[in-house]
Amino acid sequence: MAGQAQGGSQIKADSKKSSVKEARSIVEKIWDSHVVTQLDGHPAIFAIDLMLIHEVTSAQAFQTLDAKGLKVFDPKRLLGTIDHSIPTRKNRWEIYDESAKAQVEALRKNCKNHGIPFLDFDKGQGIVHVVGPELGITQPGMTIVCGDSHTSTHGAFGALAFGIGTSEVGHVLATGCLLQQKPKSMRVEFKGKAGKGVYAKDIILRLIAEIGVGGATGHVIEYVGDAIRAMTMEERMTVCNMSIECGARAGLIAPDQVTFDYLNGKQHAPKGKAWDEAVAHWKTFVSDEGAHFDRQIEIDLSALKPMVTWGTNPGQGVQINQPIPAVKSLPDQEQGVAIRALEYTGLSEGSTMEGTPIDWAFVGSCTNGRIEDLRVAASILKGKKVKDTVTFYVVPGSEAVMEQAQKEGLPEIFEAAGAQFRMPGCSMCLAMNDDKVPEGKRCISSSNRNFVGRQGPGSITHLASPATVAASAIEGRIASAESYL
Amino acid sequence: MEKFEKLKSKVIPLPMTDVDTDLIIPAQFLTSISREGYGQNLFRRLRDNDPNFPFNLERFKNAAILVAGENFGCGSSREHAVWALAGAGIKVVIAPSFADIFFSNSAKNGLVLVTLPAAQVERMLVEAQAGEFEVTVDLESQSVTLPSGETFKFEFDQFRKHCILNGLDDIDYILSFKEKVAEFRAGQPTAVNCVQGEK
Ligand code: SF4
C-alpha cells in the first residue's frame, strides 16, 4: 500500500537524523527521508514517490527516454490521465483539434508501452490534482511531482508536492529521482475566524494579495492556524493549490484527523492493520515545537470579505466591497504592472469590484472543481436563473466528482438555472482546449490564474470563490454571495 | 545539452516585472509534442499587439541576451517557455530574480540565468533602450562586462555551472548513482497499486 511505501525508509531515516537535529519542520522531515545521497556542493538526489502525468508536458520527456534507450524506472510510481487539452462536450472521445488529439494519443501510447497506469475517458479520468487525492494515492509524508505548477495541491495532505518542467519529468521517468536543493521554509498562520460568505479561495487570495506573486519564491509554505484546522480536505486543497501563485515551491498542511478520515476507505489507502500503522506513521509529519522557519507571517481573517482580483496576476486582488488600490499607493516596482493591468481589464483605481458587469462565469479547475465547490454553487443557484447575458460553465474536476454531483441531482439544478454542466477537464482554466472566453469578454472564474489571455486571447478574468461566481452569474455583475447563503 | 562558456551579444530589453510563462508562450501554442518550433511564437501576444515591442524591432534582431524585471518566468511550469526563448536565439536572461520552476527548467536546457541587483539591471535596461548596447556574459568568471569595461559579478550555483560549461544533463548524473537509488528503493512497495484504467 502506498501508505507503507514511504513508511519503512522514513522511519529509518528519521531515527538516523534525529540525534543530529532535534526540532524539524514537516518539510525537513520529508526532505531528510527522501535524500538518497548528496555530494558536497551538489544538489541532492531526491527520491520521488509519485509522479502524475498529463498530455501537455510529458510527450517530450518520453522522447528523451526513448532517445537514450532508457526504460521507465518504476511504472507503479506513476499515474497518467488527460485533462488540459481535451474537450468537455458530451462526445469528447472525438477531438477535433489535430495537435491536441496527437498529444492525447501520444500519452495513451506512452503509458501503454511503458506499463503506466492510465485513467482514460470513462475510466476515472480527471484533472491530475483532483484524481490523486480522491483515489487516496496522495498521502502524508510523500514526495509528489507533476509537470504542472499546481501540484502544490497535494500538500493539503502533508505531502511535499511540487511542479516540475518536462526535462525533470524525464528524469523522474528514467530514475525515480530528481536533483534538488533543499527548499527554504515559510510559516503562514491564519488568525481569527472568517465570516459568512468567505471561503478557502478568499483566504488564499488574501495571502497572495498581501505578499505578492513573488512573495514566497524559493520557499515551501506550511499553513497553520485554527482556520486551517477547521477546513475540510477540499478547502485545504484550494489553499495549497494556489501556493504557487505567490511564488512558493509548494504549500503544505500537517495531517490530522480530518486528513485521516478523508483517506480512510479510499481505493488506494491502506486497509486493516496496514491502515493503523500508516496513520501512526503519518502522525509524525507535524512540525516539531521550535522548528526553524526561514520566514513567518500572520494573516488576520476576522474582517475578511470575499476577494476578487482586479488585475492580471493573482496578487492583484481586493475585497469585493473595497476600492481597487490607487496605483501611487503600490510599491514602485508594481506600479507599471498595475497600470498595464487596469488598462487590460478596463477598470479604474478607486472603483469597487462589486457591480462590475460580467459576460461569462466558470466554476471548475483544480482549485475549485471538487464536489464541495459544486455543492456551494448549486445551493446558490437553486431555484434562481443565471442572467441571460451570462454564459456559465460548471465543469467537474473529475469523473468521480461528476458522478457524485449526478447522484446529488446537481446537474439538474445547474441546468434549470441556465448554466451548462460539462464533462471533466481543465476547461476554461486555460485556453488550450475548445473552452475559451471570447475576446473582450469578462469572466468571473473559480480558477487560479488571471494572466492576460489565460482564458482565451483578449479575455478578461476575475478570480473568486465558487460562491461569488454563482452569485455574480445570477446578477450579471460581480456580487457577494452573502445574501444567498 | 549545448555547452556555454562566453557570449558577446546585443541586449534586448524587456522592462517588465512578473513576466509570466503564459506571456512568454501562450497556451494555445502548447499542443505540439516536440521541443521545436516554439521560437516563432515567443511573446506572440505582445508581438501582435505592439509593433514597437522589442522583439518586433529590427535593431534587436539576433540579440541573444534578454534583460528583464524581477520575478521573470512566474506562473505555469511549462518548459515550453524555455524552449521558446532558446528557439528564438536567446541564450542568457538577466533579471533581479527568477521564478523557481522557470529557473530549474532553464538550467536543464542550458539557458543561462544571471541574477543581478535591481539597480544594475535597471541600468542595462536603460542603456539597451537608448541605443545599441552589447555586453559579454562569461560564465567561467561569473561576470557581465559592459561596453565601458565595467564588470558586474554574479553568483552562480557551482554544480550547475559545471553542468552548463560541460553540456552535462541530470539523467546521466543521477544514473551514475544507480546502485544507491536501488538500495534506497529496495523493499518499498510502489505508490499506485491497481488502477481503474487498467481494467
Ligand atoms: S485546472 Fe488549470 S491550473 Fe489546474 S491543472 Fe488544469 S490547467 Fe492547470
Side-chain angles (χ1 to χ4, degrees), chain A residues 83-84 127-129 148 150 241 365-367 425-426 429-430 447-449 454:
Chain A
D83 52 9
H84 282 67
I127 303 172
V128 271
H129 312 310
D148 186 280
H150 294 96
N241 174 278
S365 87
C366 59
T367 313
C426 295
C429 176
L430 92 172
S447 55
N448 47 43
R449 284 190 174 139
R454 170 79 177 184

Side-chain angles (χ1 to χ4, degrees), chain B residues 5-17:
Chain B
E5 279 163 15
K6 198 176 185 170
L7 171 76
K8 185 173 188 197
S9 158
K10 272 192 283 193
V11 167
I12 181 163
L14 194 61
M16 294 167 69
T17 60

Side-chain angles (χ1 to χ4, degrees), chain A residues 468-481:
Chain A
T468 305
V469 172
S472 306
I474 294 169
E475 301 198 8
R477 53 194 179 82
I478 296 177
S480 163

